[in-house]
Amino acid sequence: MVGMNRRIVVVGGGIAGQAVCEALRERDRDIPITLVCGEHSAPYDRVRLSEILVSGEDSQTLRLRPAEWYADNDVELLVGHTVTWVDVERRVLGLDDSDELRFERLVIATGSQPLMPPIPGIDLAGVHPFRDPADCEAIRAAAASGIERAAVIGGGLLGLEAARGIAAQGCAVTVVHLLDRLMERQLDAGASSLLAPALAGLDIDVEFERNTQQIIGPQRAHGLRFTDGSELPADLVVVSIGIRPEAELARSIGIVCDRGIIVDDAMRTSLPGVLAVGECAQHRGIVYGLVAPIYDQARVAAQTLVSEAAGAGADALYLGSVPSAKLKVAGIDLVCAGESGGDLEAVVTDAATGIYRKLSVRDGRVIGTVLLGDTRGSEALVAAVRSGEPVEDPLQALADASLSGPADLPDTAQICDCNGVCKGDLVAAVSDGGCATPREVMAVTRAGTGCGSCRPAVKEIVAAATGGLNDEPAYLCPCRKQTREGLAEQIRADGLQSVSDVAAACATGRECGACKPALAYLVSEVCANQHREERDARFINDRVHANIQHDGTFSVVPRMYGGVTTPDELRRIADVADKYEVPMVKVTGGQRLDLLGVKKQDLPGIWRDLGMPSGHAYAKAVRTVKTCVGTDFCRFGLGDSVGLGIEMEKAWEGLHTPHKVKSGVSGCPRNCAEATVKDIGCVAVEGGWQVRAGGAAGGNVREADILATVETRGEALRLATTFLQFYRENADYKERTYDFIPRIGLEQVREVILDEERGGALRERLRIAKAATQDPWLERDDPYHARQFHDLDELEPALVGPPAGGEL
Amino acid sequence: MSTAAALAHDACSVEDIPLGEGRAVTLDGRRIAIFRAGGGWYALDAACPHRGGPLADGIVCDRAVICPLHDRRFDLQSGSALTTGNAVAAHAVEVRGARVFVTLAAAERGAA
C-alpha cells in the first residue's frame, strides 16, 4: 500500500519536530516532508522562553527558522492543526479541520504537557503553567501589574528561570519547593545550599519542604495553603513541577507506551513505520526533558528514516544521553552534567563567594560535574563527563580545567549542546568554510543559535582559529584590538584633542582606516565637541554634509522641525530644484523633502538659496522627529505632538550620535507618527506621555521599550534627552538604539536615566556638547578647505582665484 | 616636461588637496584620483572597479583607501584589492616644489 507516496509526516512543531525535519533534509533533499504544528506558530525555541519573560521581547524572536526556510527546504508546514486520528493500515491521518493526509511513515514529536497537580484552586485565574508564549505573556503582564507577591511552585531549572523573570519585573517572588534542596535532579546538597543564597541576592526567596495543598481563591489566586496549615500570600502562581509526556495520539493507535512512547535504539515505536522523538518518547526507561538529547534523538531518527527508505536496516543507534544543563539566570553561573555524586568526589567550595566546583568519579572514570559561581573549564569538564574520561586525580583535573579555555579542547568536544556542534566543526568553518567572524560561523554551523549559552565559547574558539583577527564589533579598532572604552579612557587621561592625536598615541586608525569615523565620533563625544575637527577622518557625507548616492551624486534634505514647513520654504525648495536641475524631489519617510542627484560642487549654492539649516540626513546624528498633528488639528489628539516634536528637534539638532537616531511623537495611542518603532518615541496617553526608545522598523521590526510614562511634555522631553545622552556616551559606533538597549539591559538603562543625579549629569553634558554645535551648511561661506566641494579640474577654488562663471 | 614614453602630467598644487584626503582630475582623458595620505602622495584610477564609486571621496589611511560606496579597500601604492574583487590601476606620483606630477601607467582597459 506504499505505492508512490513516500511522504513523511512529523506530528508536533516543537524543537524535536523541527530538528527531525532539518536532520532529514540534511540527509535527503527530495523525500516529501509535512510538519504539523498544534500551536499557531511555526516552531520556536521553547528553551529561550525564560529570556523573553525577562526582556519582554516578542515571542516571534524565538522562531527557530524564518518563514521562508520551509519553502526553501520544501517542508510543508501546517500550523494550528492537531491530528485527530490515524489509520495505520491505510497510511492516512485526519486533521481537526477534517482534512486528510497520506503518509508512508510517521514521526511523533508531540512533546509534553506541564504537570498540574490536582489540588483545589488549580483552575483559578492567576494560576499559570510556564510552557508557551501565551503563558509567558500572561506571567509577565501579571508580574508587572503591581501585585504584592508571586509564588512559583517547583524549584527545578524551569521554575527558577520563571522566578527570575518575575523578579525582573520588580515583583517579589517566592519559590516553594517540595524537597529540601533545589534542582535535586541535577545538584547535590552542597551546591544546592549555595544556590538559595545566590537567588536571594536576586530578590528570589526560597521556601523548602512546602507541600502545596490548595491555591486560595475564591475568584482568583490570592495565596497558597500548605499541608502544615501555613499560608503564603500570592496574587500570581506559576506551576512548574515537571512534565507529562504527551502520548495520547500514540496510545490511541495502539503503540506501546509507559510514561512516554517506548522507543528502541533506532527511535522506532512498536508500530512499523512510526517513530517517536523528544519529550514524548521514553528510551531505555528515561524520558528526557532537556534539549541536547532531543537533537541526538532527532539525528538518529532521521538516519533511521533515510536508511529504511533505502531498504536498509537502521544503522544509527541512540544509546542515551548524559544529561547536562545550564541555568539561564543572569547573575548566577551554573553548569552541571551527569550524576551529582560518585564513589570518589573532588569538591572545591567557598561559601563566602558562592563558589562550588565538583567532579564525580566512579570506577576511575568521570561521571558528573557541578560548577556553580565559577564555571571556568566547564566545556572541558562536560566533555570529560560525556566521554567518561579516565581520571586519576580528580582534584587536579578540576584545577587544570579552571585554567583551560574552550580553545584548548579536543576537536571532538561538543560546544553547542542544542545543535550538537563540536569544536572541530567550528574550526573547520573557519579553515575550510572561509568564515572570519563568530557571527558567520554561527550562521553556518548553527552553533549558539539555540539557547545561546555557548556563545562566549564559540567566540573564543573562532578567535583562536582565525588568529584573533576577526572583525568583531567589540573592537573599535580591530587592527590594534582597541576597545571604545579603552580609547575613551586614554583620550580623557592624556587630554587628546583629535583623531591624529589618538593615532599618534595609540596607532589607531592608521592600518586599514576603517575605524576613523568611529574614532572621530569618540573624540568629539569625549571632548563634548570642543575637539579639533579633522575632516579626513570623516566619511564623505560628513565632509560635504550630504548623502552620497550610488552614482557619486548627493542628496540634500533641509531641516523641517517636526515635519512642519511653510509656503515660503516650499517655494524656495521648488526654485532650487528648477535652478540646479535636480533630477528628483521626494518626500521621505521622516516627513522631509529630499533633493536627489545633486552634484557635489552645487551643494554650497543650493544651501545658500534654500536658506534652511541642514537636516543631517547624511550623518550618524539626530535626524528627523516625525510628528502627527496632535491637538493642533486632530479630533483624537491627547497631547501636543507637533509642539513636543519641534522642541525635541531643536534641543538635539546638530548632535552626532553613535548611529542615526530617528524619532517620532504621536499625539494619541493611535500612533500615526509610528513613534513605537523609532529610536526615540513619545506617545501621548491619557494623563501624560509614554517615553520609548529602541524601536526599529527596518530589516527587523522591534517595538520600542517604554522607558517611563510621565505627566508633562516637559518631563517627556527631559527623559528623552537623558536617554539620548546615555546612548551617545555608551553605545558602540554603528550600534543602533535597538541593539544598544538589549545589550545594556532595559533595567540598567532605566536605573541610570531615571536617577535624578545621574540623569541630571547626563543632561548637563548634553547641554555643553550642544552649545558647541553649529549648522554645518554654513560652511557654504566658510569652507574648511578651498576645495571642500570641488575636484581638481572643477571651478577654481574661491580662495585662489575668482570663480569662473560663478554667481557670487 | 619631457616627451618620453611616459609623460608626467602637472596635475595640481600641493595645497589643492587637504591632508588625508583625495581629489579627482582628468589627465589624458582618464579620470584619476590623487591622494595626499599620511604616508605620502599616491594616484589610482578614480573609479572603483566594483560599482564605479568615487575613490577620491574615500577614507584614506597610511597606505590604503576605502571606497565610499561599499567599503572595498585598495592599496594606495599598488592598487591591489585588500578586501575582495579586482585591483585598480596605480600611477606614479612625484612632488616637485609645490606641484604634484602624475605619470600614468599604461592604460590596460582604456579610460572609462
Side-chain angles (χ1 to χ4, degrees), chain A residues 367-382:
Chain A
I367 57 161
T369 186
V370 177
L371 304 167
L372 173 64
D374 174 359
T375 58
R376 284 177 302 160
S378 63
E379 294 85 2
L381 292 171
V382 172

Side-chain angles (χ1 to χ4, degrees), chain A residues 444-519:
Chain A
V444 168
T445 62
R446 307 292 299 160
T449 58
C451 74
S453 62
C454 68
R455 276 183 208 159
V458 172
K459 284 182 182 164
E460 206 168 310
I461 290 166
V462 173
T466 54
L469 289 175
N470 44 329
D471 188 3
E472 281 302 284
Y475 290 121
L476 184 145
C477 174
C479 300
R480 314 289 306 182
K481 293 203 165 192
Q482 289 161 338
T483 63
R484 178 177 58 80
E485 293 86 350
L487 287 165
E489 194 46 51
Q490 182 121 18
I491 292 167
R492 274 191 205 98
D494 297 354
L496 306 179
Q497 300 262 311
S498 66
V499 172
S500 57
D501 282 358
V502 181
C506 321
T508 317
R510 297 187 55 180
E511 273 171 52
C512 83
C515 69
K516 283 171 86 175
L519 206 53

Side-chain angles (χ1 to χ4, degrees), chain B residues 84-105:
Chain B
T84 176
N86 293 325
V88 63
H91 310 283
V93 185
E94 190 185 345
V95 177
R96 299 180 203 156
R99 302 300 297 176
V100 179
F101 293 83
V102 175
T103 307
L104 298 182

Side-chain angles (χ1 to χ4, degrees), chain A residues 510 516 600 784 787 791 793, chain B residues 21 23-24 26 57 60:
Chain A
R510 297 187 55 180
K516 283 171 86 175
K600 196 201 280 175
Y784 76 87
R787 289 200 177 274
D791 273 320
D793 40 14
Chain B
E21 295 189 28
R23 289 293 183 274
T26 301
D57 283 346
V60 174

Side-chain angles (χ1 to χ4, degrees), chain A residues 349-608:
Chain A
T349 179
D350 180 356
T353 52
I355 291 174
Y356 186 89
R357 292 169 63 84
K358 176 176 184 177
L359 198 63
S360 301
V361 176
R362 183 177 299 134
D363 302 329
R365 290 179 179 276
V366 178
I367 57 161
T369 186
V370 177
L371 304 167
L372 173 64
D374 174 359
T375 58
R376 284 177 302 160
S378 63
E379 294 85 2
L381 292 171
V382 172
V385 174
R386 287 225 172 86
S387 62
E389 204 170 281
V391 60
E392 282 182 16
D393 183 348
L395 206 52
Q396 186 64 42
L398 260 185
D400 290 347
S402 69
L403 296 175
S404 80
D408 302 321
L409 290 171
D411 279 354
T412 52
Q414 183 161 303
I415 305 300
C416 174
D417 293 338
C418 295
N419 291 323
V421 184
C422 295
K423 184 193 161 196
D425 302 329
L426 301 175
V427 174
V430 172
S431 57
D432 309 337
C435 297
T437 68
R439 203 186 303 261
E440 290 166 13
V441 171
M442 289 193 276
V444 168
T445 62
R446 307 292 299 160
T449 58
C451 74
S453 62
C454 68
R455 276 183 208 159
V458 172
K459 284 182 182 164
E460 206 168 310
I461 290 166
V462 173
T466 54
L469 289 175
N470 44 329
D471 188 3
E472 281 302 284
Y475 290 121
L476 184 145
C477 174
C479 300
R480 314 289 306 182
K481 293 203 165 192
Q482 289 161 338
T483 63
R484 178 177 58 80
E485 293 86 350
L487 287 165
E489 194 46 51
Q490 182 121 18
I491 292 167
R492 274 191 205 98
D494 297 354
L496 306 179
Q497 300 262 311
S498 66
V499 172
S500 57
D501 282 358
V502 181
C506 321
T508 317
R510 297 187 55 180
E511 273 171 52
C512 83
C515 69
K516 283 171 86 175
L519 206 53
Y521 172 72
L522 185 69
V523 169
S524 74
E525 191 277 307
V526 172
C527 299
N529 289 338
Q530 326 268 318
H531 64 292
R532 200 169 62 252
E533 174 76 11
E534 291 169 339
R535 283 296 161 77
D536 66 285
R538 300 282 189 184
F539 186 59
I540 184 65
N541 287 9
D542 282 308
R543 294 181 193 168
V544 300
H545 316 300
N547 195 2
I548 192 166
Q549 308 292 307
H550 69 93
D551 58 355
T553 65
F554 291 83
S555 85
V556 172
V557 180
R559 195 165 284 277
M560 292 175 180
Y561 302 94
V564 178
T565 184
T566 64
D568 186 42
E569 282 179 349
L570 290 173
R571 260 180 224 110
R572 277 181 275 151
I573 290 169
D575 287 344
V576 161
D578 277 344
K579 175 173 168 185
Y580 294 90
E581 296 174 340
V582 173
M584 181 186 268
V585 183
K586 191 176 184 315
V587 179
T588 72
Q591 299 181 333
R592 303 300 142 101
L593 286 169
D594 194 349
L595 303 166
L596 292 140
V598 170
K599 292 191 265 313
K600 196 201 280 175
Q601 63 267 32
D602 286 341
L603 289 169
I606 287 183
W607 299 337
R608 202 175 292 121

